[in-house]
Structures are given as structure tokens and as C-alpha cells.
Amino acid sequence: MTEDQTPPKFRILADDLGNGETMYSINEVIYDDFHNLIGFHRRPITLTDFCEGEILDDITDALDSYEHPILSAENFPNEYEDI
């Protein structure tokens, strides 16, 4: 990522449920000052707001999450490896 690029607001996270199933969600992620992933909000995004323009922005950001590798919820910020 170059200096002038903004990191993605949301990422897809995979959570292995331990019973052979994987739950996928789109979550807001947290970066440090150097754009390194350092955390994520545990509650997946919801598309509600007092302004429809904000919802459209979130939909656009959510769609952008598909352009990036899926991350592992258990081994964050590592990429998810479906075995």
C-alpha cells in the first residue's frame, strides 16, 4: 500500500466454529498510525444510519472488502486458510 492509499475500512473475517463450519462476516478493522492491522470490532457491521448517504458509503466500503484477502478471526491479522 502506498502512502496516499487509504486502507480498507471493512474486511471479511472467517471464524472457525469448530464443528466443521466457518462463519463469515464483514467487520470494521482498526489500524495503527502506519496502516498496520491491529484489531477489529467483534460485532459485524449493520447497515443502519440516520442518513441514507452514510449507508451508501458503508455499502461501498463493504463491497470493497471483497477485493482483499479474508482474515482469520482466531489468528488476526493473518489471512484465513481454509483447510
Side-chain angles (χ1 to χ4, degrees), residues 9 48-61:
K9 179 178 180 180
T48 58
D49 206 298
F50 292 104
C51 172
E52 69 273 6
E54 293 295 325
I55 291 175
L56 183 57
D57 289 345
D58 283 347
I59 290 170
T60 301
D61 290 336

Side-chain angles (χ1 to χ4, degrees), residues 14-24 74 80:
D15 194 0
D16 183 0
L17 301 179
N19 59 359
E21 294 185 281
T22 303
M23 179 71 66
Y24 296 90
E74 294 92 326
Y80 177 70

Side-chain angles (χ1 to χ4, degrees), residues 15 17-18 21-22 26 36 38 45 50-51 53 56 62-63 66 70 77 79-80 82:
D15 194 0
L17 301 179
E21 294 185 281
T22 303
I26 298 176
N36 298 308
I38 58 170
I45 66 167
F50 292 104
C51 172
L56 183 57
L63 289 172
Y66 283 88
I70 296 172
E79 292 180 16
Y80 177 70
D82 189 10

